[in-house]
Amino acid sequence: MRIISADSGAALLNDRFDATSIVAASAVLVDSPYRLAKRCIAEPIFSRIADSHELIVHELELCQELLKETGADVVHLDMSFGGLSMEELSPIQLANISGKARGYLLKMLPKLRKMAAEIKRAYGVEVLAIGKDSVPVRIAELTAGAHAILYSAEMVVAEKMTMRLGLPSKCYARKVESGIVLHSLAPAEHDIAGFAADDKRTLEKVAFSELINPCARGFRALEFTPNSNLVE
Amino acid sequence: MRIISADSGAALLNDRFDATSIVAASAVLVDSPYRLAKRCIAEPIFSRIADSHELIVHELELCQELLKETGADVVHLDMSFGGLSMEELSPIQLANISGKARGYLLKMLPKLRKMAAEIKRAYGVEVLAIGKDSVPVRIAELTAGAHAILYSAEMVVAEKMTMRLGLPSKCYARKVESGIVLHSLAPAEHDIAGFAADDKRTLEKVAFSELINPCARGFRALEFTPNSNLVE
Amino acid sequence: MRIISADSGAALLNDRFDATSIVAASAVLVDSPYRLAKRCIAEPIFSRIADSHELIVHELELCQELLKETGADVVHLDMSFGGLSMEELSPIQLANISGKARGYLLKMLPKLRKMAAEIKRAYGVEVLAIGKDSVPVRIAELTAGAHAILYSAEMVVAEKMTMRLGLPSKCYARKVESGIVLHSLAPAEHDIAGFAADDKRTLEKVAFSELINPCARGFRALEFTPNSNLVE
């Protein structure tokens, strides 16, 4: 079963470790054995946290874009409604959700259902609201996080600034020859990861060190500084 | 403290990774340091998912059978009511449970209480509704899962078919000389496992590969095919 | 950001693995990268489980004591109210908490708010009710647990008794040359630990072995016996 999924991930953190903006979004194509993306698209978003409830629409657009390129059997969206088809998801199913979150979802729902219907018509593929149960959503999150590291590094180099990047839940970053891997540290996900290719060799131009986010158990962060050894 | 417990585990999965039937049930005797079964009984059940709410009665029967063989100090049942004795569990405690599940439990309760009373009378042993908090229940689940691998392999060999088996939550299978071990991947359970002895050497007659269940985070699956290298 | 936090941890267990008393309390100073305490104070408490709801006040006193020694930027208290400042925490926020626990918190709240106000006045530092989200609270828990091992060992030696000590959630003990380390086994906490220095070399006078708490998944325990090889 070939699955396309998307997620946004990694957040800039201020001095008090509050998230201020979401850095990247990514869509992935995942196939058996469902450990890594077979194909992905990613982009920097640097979206304010306050606007993050709107990202779900953009995530579905990224799925649509990847679907056009590669095709798939099903789309997994990062909304947790037990795997219900987006076309069947009505305001009634949102009744259990508390106050503000429900308001945002109700606002997004018509747009999301319309897009899901288009995807069904154009590609014959269902969009499922499976969220936290989906491994492809997790791989999309890790892939977005890996790209967020590259985008942050680029900004650090361009602006000669320091930066603190909060990684997605339960993962750690490992630099490899060709880019950066974000390995899951969640239980039973030891072989699940996201990858971003560092084609521009940006990671050679920054130094980064890992720390624990003290205000959010299970979350790690990276602190970036321009590489002082670098002669420019 | 010698504890007897039982559980059912591992499920056949269809092409969409929906569970279609539960494969095995097992009862275990566990003693300090509570990492592995000291003794177990297991059986293939291939019970339809729709009927799985009735398995709890059969699990208690398996406990009773093992109790007759080995004795124990207490029985842990896979029902999560904070360790309450089954004899004290009344319909009132079930009030918090939502719709359908409560209906099933109410239906099973008289039978379970009767069996618990018999066990108390015959062996002087309490049956506790401890469920998810119990390590012996977890070991029974892993032991059932290990046996499910053998039963699935037998069916694959007999029917010359392929099969996809969903393992219990957060574990992975490792083939050893004498059989199959299901190691827990849950946090702080790295030394907890279930084992099934492959006396008939069935595992030599099949090939299996591991994959991630993409629709259920934390769950792995095995895909079986008859071993094509085998001259029959 | 330098964070002070405190917690109580590790419990004596009876033959049925019920906790009977909390053994130790500890306050820690934690700084980036937030993996270990930079500084700690600890004390044996051997407080009855029935009285454990009062420990939170003592934990804040320990924070205050450490604050006097070392200073800090913020205090993390083991109460889970989303990181709300203790000064802002009113009986209204406690409305969602169920019966008995709320009664205890309501009883403690005036005292805790008074202490938080004093800390704010004296050191200009906020006390946050961040609880389960806080890594420093977790490090305090592991540090209390490590000291609990020493205190238990001392009692075992003094009283020539055996003892069963339940460790904090998801961790294991490792004896090192200079003392005892409690390593977290929680997801993504593989490099987080608590330490207690065994200056009196008490651990050489006891034998201890690790077991799983069969009635509480994720919890390990140690069984202590006086070291029989020891000539006294």
Side-chain angles (χ1 to χ4, degrees):
Chain A
M1 190 163 58
R2 303 169 79 237
I3 307 171
I4 280 179
S5 185
D7 203 5
S8 313
L12 296 187
L13 303 178
N14 67 15
D15 282 351
R16 301 172 66 86
F17 289 89
D18 301 317
T20 57
S21 63
I22 304 290
V23 175
S26 178
V28 295
L29 170 72
V30 187
D31 199 350
S32 187
Y34 307 102
R35 292 192 182 112
L36 296 162
K38 287 253 186 304
R39 185 91 172 244
C40 83
I41 51 182
E43 55 182 37
I45 50 175
F46 291 98
S47 162
R48 288 189 313 143
I49 287 291
D51 304 330
S52 62
H53 54 274
E54 292 173 13
L55 291 176
I56 187 78
V57 171
H58 186 53
E59 290 165 12
L60 190 47
E61 288 168 352
L62 287 177
C63 288
Q64 216 165 0
E65 194 182 318
L66 190 55
L67 204 45
K68 199 186 295 182
E69 271 184 44
T70 69
D73 298 313
V74 67
V75 170
H76 281 188
L77 198 57
D78 186 20
M79 290 177 66
S80 298
F81 290 94
L84 210 67
S85 167
M86 276 308 292
E87 290 191 279
E88 292 163 35
L89 193 64
S90 72
I92 295 162
Q93 275 91 15
L94 273 55
N96 291 332
I97 296 176
S98 60
K100 216 179 242 180
R102 187 175 45 163
Y104 290 140
L105 281 174
L106 279 174
K107 207 177 125 195
M108 299 298 138
L109 195 56
K111 175 98 192 183
L112 290 171
R113 292 184 56 173
K114 188 162 164 280
M115 292 174 70
E118 282 170 22
I119 287 173
K120 183 69 178 288
R121 200 169 45 239
Y123 307 99
V125 161
E126 295 269 10
V127 176
L128 305 183
I130 182 172
K132 64 181 171 52
D133 291 329
S134 165
V135 170
V137 166
R138 173 63 166 164
I139 293 172
E141 182 186 36
L142 295 170
T143 303
H147 284 86
I149 292 173
L150 291 190
Y151 303 145
S152 301
E154 281 169 20
M155 188 180 280
V156 163
V157 171
E159 312 278 337
K160 294 191 171 41
M161 65 197 288
T162 62
M163 190 182 276
R164 183 185 284 163
L165 181 71
L167 299 180
S169 167
K170 300 188 181 65
C171 70
Y172 74 100
R174 188 167 63 91
K175 200 176 157 179
V176 294
E177 175 58 25
S178 56
I180 192 100
V181 184
L182 224 54
H183 290 278
S184 180
L185 290 167
E189 294 194 349
H190 50 90
D191 47 2
I192 291 177
F195 172 72
D198 182 20
D199 297 329
K200 299 185 222 159
R201 303 232 154 244
T202 311
L203 291 175
E204 292 173 3
K205 298 173 199 154
V206 296
F208 61 92
S209 62
E210 188 195 51
L211 68 161
I212 310 276
N213 182 334
C215 303
R217 275 182 75 182
F219 287 84
R220 284 157 187 270
L222 299 179
E223 284 182 339
F224 291 87
T225 49
N227 195 332
S228 53
N229 298 326
L230 196 75
V231 182
E232 291 182 309
Chain B
M1 189 163 60
R2 302 170 80 237
I3 306 171
I4 280 179
S5 186
D7 202 5
S8 313
L12 296 188
L13 303 178
N14 66 15
D15 281 350
R16 300 172 67 86
F17 289 89
D18 301 316
T20 56
S21 63
I22 303 290
V23 175
S26 178
V28 296
L29 170 72
V30 186
D31 200 351
S32 188
Y34 306 103
R35 292 193 182 110
L36 296 162
K38 288 251 186 304
R39 184 92 171 242
C40 82
I41 52 182
E43 55 181 38
I45 50 175
F46 291 97
S47 163
R48 288 189 314 141
I49 287 291
D51 304 329
S52 61
H53 54 275
E54 291 172 13
L55 290 176
I56 187 79
V57 171
H58 186 53
E59 290 165 12
L60 190 48
E61 287 167 353
L62 287 177
C63 288
Q64 216 165 1
E65 194 182 320
L66 190 55
L67 204 45
K68 198 185 296 181
E69 272 185 44
T70 68
D73 299 312
V74 66
V75 170
H76 282 187
L77 198 58
D78 186 20
M79 290 177 66
S80 298
F81 290 94
L84 210 68
S85 167
M86 276 308 293
E87 291 191 279
E88 291 163 35
L89 192 65
S90 73
I92 295 162
Q93 274 92 14
L94 272 54
N96 291 332
I97 296 176
S98 60
K100 216 179 244 183
R102 186 174 47 162
Y104 290 139
L105 281 174
L106 279 173
K107 207 177 125 195
M108 300 297 138
L109 195 56
K111 175 99 192 184
L112 290 171
R113 292 185 58 174
K114 187 162 165 281
M115 292 174 70
E118 282 169 22
I119 286 172
K120 183 69 176 287
R121 198 169 48 239
Y123 307 98
V125 162
E126 296 269 9
V127 177
L128 305 184
I130 182 172
K132 63 183 172 52
D133 292 328
S134 166
V135 170
V137 167
R138 173 64 167 164
I139 293 172
E141 183 186 35
L142 296 171
T143 303
H147 284 86
I149 292 172
L150 290 190
Y151 303 146
S152 301
E154 281 169 20
M155 188 180 280
V156 164
V157 171
E159 312 278 336
K160 295 190 173 39
M161 64 196 290
T162 62
M163 190 182 275
R164 183 185 284 163
L165 181 72
L167 299 180
S169 168
K170 299 186 182 68
C171 69
Y172 74 99
R174 189 167 63 92
K175 200 176 155 178
V176 295
E177 175 59 27
S178 57
I180 192 99
V181 184
L182 224 53
H183 290 277
S184 180
L185 289 168
E189 293 194 349
H190 51 90
D191 47 2
I192 291 178
F195 172 73
D198 182 20
D199 297 331
K200 299 186 224 158
R201 303 231 154 246
T202 311
L203 292 175
E204 294 173 3
K205 298 174 200 153
V206 296
F208 62 91
S209 62
E210 187 195 52
L211 68 163
I212 310 276
N213 182 335
C215 304
R217 277 182 72 183
F219 287 84
R220 285 159 186 269
L222 299 179
E223 284 182 339
F224 290 88
T225 48
N227 195 332
S228 54
N229 298 327
L230 196 76
V231 181
E232 289 182 312
Chain C
M1 189 162 62
R2 302 169 80 237
I3 307 171
I4 279 179
S5 186
D7 202 5
S8 314
L12 296 187
L13 303 178
N14 67 16
D15 282 350
R16 302 172 65 86
F17 289 89
D18 301 316
T20 56
S21 63
I22 303 290
V23 175
S26 178
V28 296
L29 169 72
V30 186
D31 200 351
S32 188
Y34 307 103
R35 293 194 183 110
L36 296 162
K38 288 253 185 303
R39 184 91 173 243
C40 82
I41 52 182
E43 56 181 35
I45 51 175
F46 291 98
S47 162
R48 288 188 313 142
I49 287 290
D51 304 329
S52 61
H53 54 276
E54 292 173 13
L55 291 175
I56 187 78
V57 170
H58 186 53
E59 290 166 13
L60 190 47
E61 287 167 354
L62 287 177
C63 287
Q64 216 165 1
E65 194 181 317
L66 190 55
L67 204 45
K68 198 185 295 181
E69 272 185 43
T70 68
D73 298 313
V74 66
V75 170
H76 281 188
L77 198 58
D78 186 21
M79 289 176 66
S80 297
F81 290 95
L84 210 68
S85 167
M86 276 307 292
E87 290 191 279
E88 292 164 33
L89 192 65
S90 72
I92 295 163
Q93 274 91 15
L94 273 55
N96 291 332
I97 296 176
S98 61
K100 215 179 243 182
R102 186 173 48 163
Y104 291 140
L105 281 175
L106 279 173
K107 208 177 125 195
M108 299 299 139
L109 195 55
K111 175 98 191 180
L112 290 171
R113 291 183 58 172
K114 187 161 165 284
M115 292 174 71
E118 281 170 23
I119 286 172
K120 183 68 177 288
R121 199 168 46 242
Y123 307 99
V125 161
E126 296 269 10
V127 177
L128 305 183
I130 183 171
K132 64 183 170 53
D133 291 328
S134 165
V135 170
V137 166
R138 173 64 167 164
I139 293 172
E141 183 186 35
L142 295 170
T143 303
H147 284 87
I149 292 172
L150 291 189
Y151 303 145
S152 302
E154 281 169 20
M155 188 180 279
V156 164
V157 170
E159 312 278 338
K160 294 189 174 43
M161 65 197 288
T162 62
M163 189 181 278
R164 182 185 286 163
L165 180 71
L167 299 180
S169 168
K170 300 188 182 67
C171 69
Y172 74 100
R174 188 167 63 91
K175 199 176 157 179
V176 294
E177 175 59 26
S178 57
I180 192 101
V181 184
L182 224 53
H183 290 278
S184 180
L185 290 168
E189 294 194 350
H190 50 90
D191 47 1
I192 291 178
F195 172 72
D198 182 21
D199 297 331
K200 299 186 223 157
R201 302 229 155 247
T202 311
L203 292 176
E204 293 172 3
K205 298 174 201 153
V206 296
F208 62 91
S209 62
E210 187 195 51
L211 68 162
I212 310 276
N213 182 335
C215 304
R217 275 183 73 183
F219 287 85
R220 285 158 186 270
L222 299 179
E223 284 182 340
F224 291 88
T225 49
N227 195 333
S228 54
N229 298 327
L230 197 75
V231 181
E232 290 182 308

